[in-house]
């Protein structure tokens, strides 16, 4: 693979105008496709195979009109202290507000709270439900303004009015202040790490181009593939992070080759052949892990995985082709100023590498420190991550609703008013669907279901059942006494399902408990059940891939255990921040509660690939030195000398990009940003920079041992570029002398 990529790097360097033009054309085409594509719709989560999803599908079949409605809004009215919302003047204000919605073509209906009985027992709070003919993203600004104006009319009359429901929902759009700060930090780190504005700009430019193409493609395919704004933001987040890192790794290797006197074209080929091989492997692991999210069975999670995988694959292609092409345009400006001066014609100075002997950098000094005290470093780092992971034992999963929004939003205030007036379970009603095709007496069976559900402890009320026109399906609503995300409501759902199972056996009816609350419970439990199997598959894949790459048994086991530590610590941070509220104010997280149920598996998939990035880039240089005859300790130092600074810079960049999304208002994106930033920080700086060299120091030569039978069976993956040393002539220095390269010593 190294030789093949070497040829690609040289070809892209020579044909830089063609390569740049092709990528620019792809960007233009993707942008045109995105501009011409219709806007995507935010789809609700679904979980095929669960009882709640089966009930939703049955409702779509038996009650098609009732389940084909668009967006919904709730106008919640509260009377001033000491007054009743049923008072004549307040009733007139409510009716006037609702009457102002007449004539809007997108309004399907608006209920009168005084006719439907939507007034709290104490008479202080009432609500009206407004249904629309279009989804939230298709509502016009005129329609949304009319809803807000209706609320303002009632406020002017002295009522407190808040608006809940989906009508005012807006898609989360990237490009806020925090994301820009993250990119700015990444740019500063690039300049400091590379010592060249041109080199830093090159890495940012290629990353932005790949992200722009990925974002446009997601927008263009939003309708045919059902891609949501969350998919687009994940693609942006991952594409930007890995795109900058991959460009940084190849650019850094190119500069090393040039600093050793290599000709520009050959240096580009060797950079793509060596660092590019690691990029291909690292990118492939991310793509595999993200694509593997499809086995969980949640369509939205599958789409998020595929969107992220596509963005990473684009980043790999850009790094392998556009980066060497732009290196051809940059000339000597991509090199550090010190190297440019040293190699300037007529400077009279001999060539010298950037890491001069006797002046070890911070990375080398740290590596030597770990080699002197490996047991102490390993114990400290391991216990530290273990302590941070302890809160993960209290992990609770759920799905965010209006209760997770900021108290500054009208949706959250409407949620609180409804909870106050009608009980905490009002915002999370359960829908009981009775399928009656084989029941001899549909009405008697339905009445039995109503009595059974009403007698369950924890049920506040049960509404009158509604029969389908064919009389083969009945629907009734049960309101819990507790909040939607509470453990008591989860237990209540299971209790109702257990109680109605006897009815199913006696009558032949199929009784299903569904509703948004029940579906959220089913999804969260499915995620909990899938977490361990998915983690097992990911760890097994990591061990297999790293065994092939590094031709060692203990190095992959060490990497997998380190991955477990970093993921566990990241989960601990999520629990501490989002469940316990630690540092929530600092991160602008206004509401604590269960961790979003999709996050653990999503974070495992993403972090697995990113962890392999740092493992590959750091240990590739160590193995390269070891197979060339260096001792185990010298190999560790060599790995940190050539890759430590770059890996640290890449990790800081990725952390900055992920942390930049914490400031978004979406709980999903906030959770993703905190979890990924924490996981990368733990994995890069604790696991790969501390635990990995400590373990290698303690194992010595045994770290690189592989049974003879596996040596014969496993394929050769040349990430170190040994084939280039055999098949490609060594470059000449400026004085005509060949750059010395160590012969292969171990296999």
């Amino acid at each position: 693979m190294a030789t093949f990529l070497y040829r690609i790097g040289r070809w892209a360097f020579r044909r830089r105008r063609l390569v740049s033009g092709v990528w620019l054309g792809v960007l233009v085409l993707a942008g045109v496709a995105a501009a011409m594509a219709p806007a995507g719709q935010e789809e609700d989560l679904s979980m095929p195979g669960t009882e709640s999803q089966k009930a939703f599908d049955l409702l779509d079949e038996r009650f098609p009109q009732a389940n084909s409605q668009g967006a919904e809004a709730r106008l919640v009215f509260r009377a001033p202290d000491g007054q009743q919302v049923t008072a004549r003047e307040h009733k007139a204000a409510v009716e006037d507000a609702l009457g102002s919605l007449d004539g809007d073509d997108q309004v399907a209906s608006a209920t009168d709270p005084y006719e439907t009985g939507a007034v709290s027992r104490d008479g202080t709070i009432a609500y009206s439900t407004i249904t629309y003919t279009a989804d939230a993203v298709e509502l016009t600004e005129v329609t949304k303004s009319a809803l807000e104006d209706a609320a303002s009319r009632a406020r002017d009359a002295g009522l407190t009015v808040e608006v809940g429901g989906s009508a005012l929902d807006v898609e989360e759009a990237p490009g806020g202040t925090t994301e820009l700060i993250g990119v700015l930090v990444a740019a500063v780190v690039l300049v400091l790490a590379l010592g060249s504005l041109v080199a830093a700009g090159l890495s940012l430019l290629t990353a932005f181009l790949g992200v722009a193409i990925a974002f446009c493609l997601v927008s263009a395919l939003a309708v045919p593939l059902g891609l949501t704004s969350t998919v687009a933001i994940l693609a942006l987040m991952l594409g930007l992070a890995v795109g900058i890192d991959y460009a940084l790794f190849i650019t850094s290797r190119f500069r090393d080759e040039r600093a050793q006197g290599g000709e520009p074209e050959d240096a580009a080929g060797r950079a793509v052949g060596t660092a590019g091989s690691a990029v291909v492997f690292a990118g492939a692991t991310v793509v595999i892990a993200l694509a593997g999210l499809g086995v969980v069975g949640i369509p939205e999670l599958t789409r998020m995985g595929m969107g992220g995988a596509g963005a990473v694959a684009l980043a790999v292609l850009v790094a392998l082709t556009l980066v060497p092409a732009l290196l051809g345009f940059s000339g000597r400006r991509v090199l550090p100023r010190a190297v440019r001066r040293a190699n300037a014609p007529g400077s009279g100075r001999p060539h010298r590498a950037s890491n001069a002997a006797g002046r070890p950098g911070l990375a080398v000094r740290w590596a030597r420190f770990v080699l002197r005290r490996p047991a102490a470093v390993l114990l400290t780092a391991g216990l530290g991550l273990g302590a941070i992971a302890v809160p993960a034992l209290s992990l609770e999963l759920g799905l965010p609703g209006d209760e997770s929004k900021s108290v500054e939003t009208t949706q959250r205030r409407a949620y609180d008013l409804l909870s106050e007036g009608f009980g905490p379970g009002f915002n999370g009603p359960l829908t009981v669907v009775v399928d009656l095709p084989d029941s001899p007496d549909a009405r008697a069976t339905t009445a039995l279901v109503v009595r059974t559900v009403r007698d369950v402890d924890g049920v506040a009320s049960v509404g009158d059942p509604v029969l389908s026109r064919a009389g083969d399906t009945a629907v009734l609503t049960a309101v819990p006494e507790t909040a939607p995300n509470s453990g008591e409501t989860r237990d209540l759902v299971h209790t109702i399902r257990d109680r109605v199972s006897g009815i199913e056996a006696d009558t032949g009816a199929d009784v299903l408990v569904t509703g948004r609350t029940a579906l959220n419970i089913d999804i969260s439990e499915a995620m909990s059940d899938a977490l361990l199997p998915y983690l097992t598959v990911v760890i097994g894949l990591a061990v297999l891939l790293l065994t092939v790459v590094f031709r060692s048994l203990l190095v992959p086991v060490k990497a997998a255990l380190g991955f477990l530590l970093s993921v566990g610590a990241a989960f601990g941070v999520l629990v501490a921040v989002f469940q316990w509220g630690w540092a929530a104010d600092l991160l602008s997280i206004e509401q604590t509660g269960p961790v979003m149920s999709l996050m653990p598996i999503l974070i495992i998939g993403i972090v697995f690939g990113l962890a392999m990035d740092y493992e590959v880039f750091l240990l590739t240089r160590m193995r390269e030195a070891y197979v060339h005859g260096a001792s185990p300790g010298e190999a560790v130092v060599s790995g940190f000398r050539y890759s430590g600074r770059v890996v640290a810079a890449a990790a800081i960049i990725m952390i900055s990009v992920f942390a930049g999304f914490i400031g978004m208002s979406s709980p999903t994106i906030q959770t993703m940003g905190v979890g990924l930033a924490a996981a990368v920080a733990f994995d890069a700086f604790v696991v790969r920079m501390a635990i990995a060299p400590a373990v290698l120091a303690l194992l010595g030569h045994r770290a690189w041992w592989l049974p003879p039978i596996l040596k014969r069976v496993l394929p050769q993956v040349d990430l170190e570029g040994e084939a280039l040393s055999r098949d490609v002539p060594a470059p000449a220095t400026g004085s005509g002398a060949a750059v010395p390269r160590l012969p292969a010593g171990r296999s």
Side-chain angles (χ1 to χ4, degrees):
M1 182 170 67
T3 304
F4 173 71
L5 292 178
Y6 170 83
R7 296 193 184 101
I8 289 180
R10 294 195 60 161
W11 177 84
F13 187 92
R14 289 196 306 271
R15 307 294 188 209
R16 46 188 173 271
R17 290 183 174 81
L18 173 63
V19 172
S20 302
V22 168
W23 278 113
L24 185 60
V26 171
L27 175 61
V28 171
L29 291 176
V32 171
M36 297 177 62
Q41 299 179 358
E42 294 297 304
E43 297 184 4
D44 292 331
L45 283 176
S46 61
M47 185 69 183
T50 61
E51 177 176 322
S52 52
Q53 189 61 49
K54 180 181 177 182
F56 272 126
D57 296 339
L58 185 64
L59 289 174
D60 287 337
E61 177 186 345
R62 305 284 174 83
F63 295 87
Q65 293 181 345
N67 288 280
S68 61
Q69 295 174 346
E72 183 180 275
R74 273 181 176 168
L75 277 175
V76 186
F77 307 92
R78 180 176 185 172
D81 292 342
Q83 300 183 33
Q84 300 284 304
V85 75
T86 53
R88 179 181 302 176
E89 64 274 17
H90 298 323
K91 185 176 180 180
V94 170
E95 292 175 346
D96 176 63
L98 297 177
S100 68
L101 297 174
D102 294 341
D104 191 323
D105 294 338
Q106 289 190 309
V107 175
S109 64
T111 62
D112 187 330
Y114 305 105
E115 294 180 358
T116 59
V119 180
S120 63
R121 289 183 179 180
D122 61 4
T124 60
I125 298 174
Y127 70 88
S128 169
T129 300
I130 299 99
T131 56
Y132 293 89
T133 59
D135 292 324
V137 295
E138 296 177 346
L139 293 181
T140 64
E141 290 302 321
V142 173
T143 296
K144 292 182 178 181
S145 297
L147 179 62
E148 294 172 343
D149 290 343
S152 297
R153 292 169 74 101
R155 290 191 189 105
D156 293 340
L159 294 172
T160 298
V161 187
E162 303 296 345
V163 184
S166 61
L168 295 183
D169 287 348
V170 294
E171 291 189 6
E172 189 75 27
T177 303
T178 54
E179 298 100 287
L180 296 178
I181 292 175
V183 173
L184 180 61
V185 172
V188 172
V189 172
L190 278 173
V191 173
L192 294 177
L194 297 174
S196 166
L197 286 173
V198 173
L202 183 149
S203 298
L204 287 173
L205 178 61
T206 54
F208 286 151
L209 184 137
V211 164
I213 294 174
F215 195 81
C216 289
L217 290 178
V218 169
S219 300
L221 299 174
V223 171
L225 299 183
L227 305 181
T228 63
S229 61
T230 303
V231 177
I233 293 175
L234 177 62
L236 173 62
M237 184 186 300
L238 281 178
L240 188 59
V242 301
I244 295 175
D245 279 6
Y246 293 164
L248 170 62
F249 288 126
I250 291 178
T251 302
S252 179
R253 189 60 184 250
F254 171 81
R255 284 150 49 95
D256 287 346
E257 296 291 338
R258 290 284 285 124
Q260 294 181 25
E263 293 298 322
E265 184 177 324
D266 184 75
R270 290 183 181 275
V272 176
T274 52
S277 297
V279 165
V280 170
F281 173 80
T285 59
V286 181
V287 169
I288 292 172
L290 289 173
L293 293 172
V295 304
V296 178
I298 297 183
E300 175 65 8
L301 192 61
T302 301
R303 290 190 287 264
M304 291 173 70
M306 297 306 296
V312 173
L314 263 174
V316 172
L317 292 176
V318 169
L320 297 180
T321 56
L322 186 59
V323 169
L326 295 184
L327 288 173
F329 286 116
S330 64
R332 291 169 48 83
R333 291 170 296 175
V334 76
L335 301 176
R337 181 177 300 178
V339 175
R340 295 201 302 269
R341 289 177 178 175
N343 292 335
S347 64
R349 307 177 192 176
H351 163 77
R352 54 188 176 91
S354 57
N355 288 330
R359 293 171 53 193
L362 178 60
V364 172
R365 296 198 299 271
W366 169 252
R368 290 172 178 169
F369 171 82
V370 174
L371 291 177
R372 290 195 300 269
R373 302 171 181 83
V377 171
L378 178 60
L379 186 64
T380 302
L383 290 178
L385 287 182
I388 297 173
V390 168
L393 299 175
S394 303
L395 179 65
E396 296 179 4
L397 300 180
L399 289 172
D402 283 348
E403 77 282 356
S404 65
K405 294 181 178 179
S406 168
V407 293
E408 301 297 325
T409 64
T410 186
Q411 292 97 325
R412 170 60 189 279
R413 293 194 294 268
Y415 178 96
D416 292 339
L417 283 178
L418 291 171
S419 296
E420 177 186 343
F422 302 92
F426 181 83
N427 287 294
L430 304 176
T431 303
V432 181
V433 182
V434 188
D435 189 10
L436 302 160
D438 301 323
S439 179
D441 191 339
R443 293 190 179 276
T445 300
T446 302
L448 179 58
V449 172
V450 171
R451 290 195 302 270
T452 302
V453 174
R454 186 175 288 144
D455 291 340
V456 175
D457 291 338
V459 175
S461 63
V462 178
D464 294 332
V466 177
L467 283 171
S468 63
R469 292 182 179 178
D472 57 355
T473 309
V475 180
L476 56 103
T477 300
V479 177
E481 295 178 349
T482 51
N485 271 336
S486 67
E488 292 85 354
T489 302
R490 181 181 63 248
D491 295 338
L492 176 64
V493 170
H494 292 302
T495 300
I496 294 176
R497 286 172 174 171
D498 291 339
R499 295 281 183 89
V500 299
S501 60
I503 299 176
E504 294 174 333
D506 295 338
T507 64
D510 193 9
V511 185
L512 307 171
V513 180
T514 187
R516 182 54 47 196
T517 298
L519 180 60
N520 290 351
I521 292 171
D522 288 345
I523 290 177
S524 298
E525 292 180 349
M527 291 296 94
S528 297
D529 294 340
L531 189 59
L532 186 58
Y534 183 73
L535 186 60
T536 302
V537 170
V538 165
I539 291 176
L541 180 63
V543 172
L544 177 62
L545 291 176
L546 292 178
T547 300
V548 173
V549 170
F550 294 118
R551 304 186 68 78
S552 164
L553 282 181
L554 296 181
V555 166
V557 172
K558 177 269 305 173
L561 293 177
F563 168 70
L564 275 178
L565 278 174
S566 58
V567 167
F571 288 173
V573 171
L574 288 180
V575 171
V577 172
F578 289 95
Q579 284 184 212
W580 299 355
W582 294 4
D585 292 338
L586 182 64
L587 298 176
S588 299
I589 297 168
E590 300 190 25
Q591 183 64 30
T592 59
V595 174
M596 186 179 180
S597 54
L598 303 184
M599 283 302 106
I601 282 183
L602 185 63
I603 288 175
I604 287 174
I606 296 174
V607 173
F608 164 70
L610 302 182
M612 295 307 102
D613 278 5
Y614 302 125
E615 184 77 10
V616 168
F617 288 119
L618 195 57
L619 267 72
T620 294
R621 284 298 189 113
M622 294 183 188
R623 175 169 168 76
E624 183 178 354
Y626 182 75
V627 300
H628 286 161
S631 67
E634 292 171 345
V636 170
V637 173
S638 178
F640 274 84
R641 173 179 291 112
Y642 290 106
S643 297
R645 183 180 183 184
V646 176
V647 168
I652 294 174
I653 290 169
M654 197 168 287
I655 293 167
S656 302
V657 172
F658 290 150
F661 287 84
I662 297 174
M664 300 186 74
S665 60
S666 167
T668 302
I669 304 302
Q670 282 187 323
T671 307
M672 200 183 304
V674 171
L676 292 178
V680 170
F682 294 140
D683 194 86
F685 292 108
V686 182
V687 173
R688 309 304 159 190
M689 293 283 193
I691 292 178
V695 171
L696 293 177
L698 293 173
L699 292 176
H701 291 284
R702 290 169 294 181
W704 305 103
W705 174 78
L706 186 70
I709 186 173
L710 291 181
K711 287 184 179 180
R712 295 191 297 269
V713 173
L714 293 179
Q716 289 279 356
V717 180
D718 183 21
L719 293 190
E720 299 92 353
E722 292 181 32
L724 296 181
S725 301
R726 298 191 306 267
D727 304 336
V728 179
T733 64
S735 60
V739 175
R741 296 182 181 271
L742 295 173
R746 297 184 179 92
S747 62

